[in-house]
Amino acid sequence: MNLQKVMKQAQDMQTKMAEMQARLELEEVDGLAGGGLVRVRINGKNMMLKVSIDDSLMKVEEKEMLEDLLVAAYNDARGKIDSTTTDQMSKLTSGLNLPPGFKLPF
């Protein structure tokens, strides 16, 4: 394989990765906790966009549980974003014959 061809493939991959990252940043997912009593919406940049809390949790004695549910809902949403990113990266790199354990971006 000549060096020019390898460089072109690397440049094409870099362009495709930048496009994929831009698309993923626009992705929005909901994370749920407490059977849906707490809902958190985040985007692909992991920025929280919205929080919805069921009225039944708006009691002083429920404060600690509510705090835990907010963390759980965010973590649920973050896991969904991470899964989407992994899926998209797998599609992008399929057929590249990368060595085991090789991570992109470099």
Side-chain angles (χ1 to χ4, degrees), residues 8-51:
K8 174 70 172 135
Q9 286 178 331
Q11 192 173 34
D12 290 346
M13 176 61 65
Q14 189 174 24
T15 300
K16 288 178 183 178
M17 286 181 65
E19 291 169 354
M20 180 195 70
Q21 286 175 331
R23 280 192 312 273
L24 287 171
E25 286 178 0
L26 299 175
E27 190 85 21
E28 293 183 8
V29 298
D30 287 338
L32 305 173
L37 294 175
V38 175
R39 178 183 303 260
V40 173
R41 178 168 284 256
I42 66 170
N43 65 16
K45 294 180 182 180
N46 296 311
M47 294 178 59
M48 194 177 307
L49 305 173
K50 183 177 181 180
V51 175

